[in-house]
Amino acid sequence: MHINNFRHPDLHIDEFASAPGEAWCVFGENHSGIDRLIGLLAGQLTDGRADILVLPDRPSVLSFRRQQALFEEEIRNDDSEFLNRTDPGTLVREFLPDFHTHHALLETFAMTPCLDLGYRQLSSGQARKLLLLRELTGGATSLIMENPYDGLDDRSCRELNLVLEQLARRNIELLVIVNSRNDIPAWATHLAIIDDRRLVHAGPFDRIQPFLAGTGAAGQTSHQPLVAIYLESSPPTIGQEEELVVLRNGFAGYGSNTLFSGLDLTIRSGDHTLIVGPNGCGKSTLLEMITGDNSKCYANELRVFGQRRGTGESIWEIKKHMGIVSPALHREHRIPGSALQVVVSGLYDTIGLYRNASSPEIKTARQWLTWIDLPGRADVPFRRLSFAEQRQVLIARALIKRPKLLILDEPTQGLDDGNRNTLLDLLEKIAEKKLATILYVSHRKDEHRPFFRRQICLDSLAR
């Protein structure tokens, strides 16, 4: 790969060159121009100019955008109505036609039990592992990965690093792009830094690493007082004894595959809870049962806000007290609409905005866009935003109505350190001022804040 004097309104590269045997990591924060680099390397950024532009030939690109595109393709091919039963979609084994010859790799990523699951039945982390396995077993010679560790449990991250280190030794062209300093892999031989829409440093890892400290806005956690918007209308403090969620002997699974069983869970106001466990153990399924987005909520003895599920309750009456961010919700945002409209839609719990918003609602939504540092993106179609910008907009959508219960399933996927800390600092203030109760799923140790009163590990409940 060789790039010389590349010029684009959103990205400048004076000189970048990689050679066989080098394993590159590129670090850049969310608004640094790193998304444009991904587009350039994938052959999708065609309106730039360069003196020399030698890019990988048909590179294998692993990104959230590609993961979303595959999900939407599976939705378009859904034959559930024709079959009169749930269509699981393309099975994992069908994505990996030569899986018999890659048994060790499947075991490494703990994907052997998933061979007969459809793509839409996978967790977000399992889906990312499947895409990587498909590229590796397909004989990829040039591999570009965007935030490959997001959504993966600790074991999967360790195993991924071992695999990538082996690939680097086999002269496979390898380039990992990360937004968090904590995700920069130790096996990288070379490091590049993008800041302020420019490739500012590139070279051997040990020589470039000291420049990380002076890059971007690390450590900045807000662009204004964290709770100014949240407290503007002085929402009432939640009652300490209110039962929000009660689950007795809870269970979930697909077919003969049990995710968890025997789960007793009571969430009262102020019980800020961190839910952990490996990919595929049922963390997202549990939260979807609580939100009413998984049919297992009716098979279980489950009460939400005092109402037994399956007794004629209105899902909309329940959801109006919830703020939700999840990979599933992100995937479902396939409809037209601007960033501003998506934020406003959080007031109505709809995917898309189907009514005229009032002036106060629009004003509040614009305040939230300012808080996430996207005031100038209000009228940009949601689908044209970068993945990180989309996730920030969905966070604002969840917070705008100041819900009683915040259900956050890996909400910081794709976010850099500054934006991650901005959200976590706000959540800490919300917990401190007793404004909401927080249920939070995360694989990242750097997100385990003291305000989480307890931790639930679903892996110990698998049967």
Side-chain angles (χ1 to χ4, degrees), residues 8-10 30-36 45 65 197 337-344 362 365-394 396 419:
H8 182 277
D10 296 324
N30 290 143
H31 305 300
S32 63
I34 199 160
D35 292 302
R36 295 298 189 184
L45 192 66
R65 191 173 293 277
R197 304 180 182 182
S338 67
L340 179 67
Q341 289 171 329
V342 171
V343 176
V344 173
I362 291 174
R366 289 190 182 279
Q367 288 177 313
W368 278 107
L369 286 170
T370 297
W371 180 75
I372 60 174
D373 201 23
L374 296 177
R377 309 287 275 170
D379 297 324
V380 175
F382 179 80
R383 292 175 64 84
R384 293 187 185 177
L385 299 172
S386 70
F387 180 87
E389 290 172 335
Q390 290 178 358
R391 185 53 62 94
Q392 288 176 280
V393 167
L394 292 178
N419 284 315

Side-chain angles (χ1 to χ4, degrees), residues 22-24 62 105 108-109 132 136 143-145 147-149 152 156-178 183 185 187-188:
E22 297 175 350
W24 280 85
L62 178 65
L105 201 53
T108 292
F109 286 106
L132 179 58
L136 294 178
L143 189 58
I144 299 169
M145 293 173 287
N147 290 317
Y149 306 105
L152 299 188
S156 296
C157 287
R158 290 193 300 270
E159 299 292 355
L160 176 59
N161 275 327
L162 289 175
V163 171
L164 295 180
E165 189 171 6
Q166 292 172 14
L167 291 178
R169 293 171 180 170
R170 296 178 189 172
N171 284 340
I172 290 179
E173 195 165 21
L174 186 60
L175 193 147
V176 171
I177 297 169
V178 299
D183 290 344
W187 49 260

Side-chain angles (χ1 to χ4, degrees), residues 34-137:
I34 199 160
D35 292 302
R36 295 298 189 184
L37 175 66
I38 297 169
L40 173 65
L41 299 180
Q44 299 165 349
L45 192 66
T46 58
D47 53 343
R49 303 178 68 178
D51 292 343
I52 299 174
L53 188 60
V54 180
L55 299 177
D57 182 29
R58 289 178 295 178
S60 298
V61 180
L62 178 65
S63 67
F64 284 110
R65 191 173 293 277
R66 185 160 183 198
Q67 193 169 327
Q68 175 71 9
L70 181 55
F71 177 81
E72 293 183 15
E73 181 181 345
E74 288 288 300
I75 289 292
R76 287 193 296 271
N77 294 331
D78 186 357
D79 285 328
S80 295
E81 186 174 344
F82 171 76
L83 296 172
N84 200 28
R85 61 177 173 80
T86 300
D87 178 9
T90 308
L91 301 182
V92 169
R93 64 171 66 246
E94 295 171 328
F95 279 101
L96 307 170
D98 297 324
F99 71 91
H100 292 292
T101 62
H102 299 283
H103 177 75
L105 201 53
L106 284 167
E107 288 293 319
T108 292
F109 286 106
M111 289 293 287
T112 303
C114 302
L115 285 170
D116 292 315
L117 292 180
Y119 180 77
R120 297 194 307 277
Q121 294 175 308
L122 301 176
S123 71
S124 177
Q126 288 171 324
R128 288 181 71 71
K129 289 193 283 189
L130 174 60
L131 291 187
L132 179 58
L133 282 169
R134 186 170 69 167
E135 301 301 337
L136 294 178
T137 59

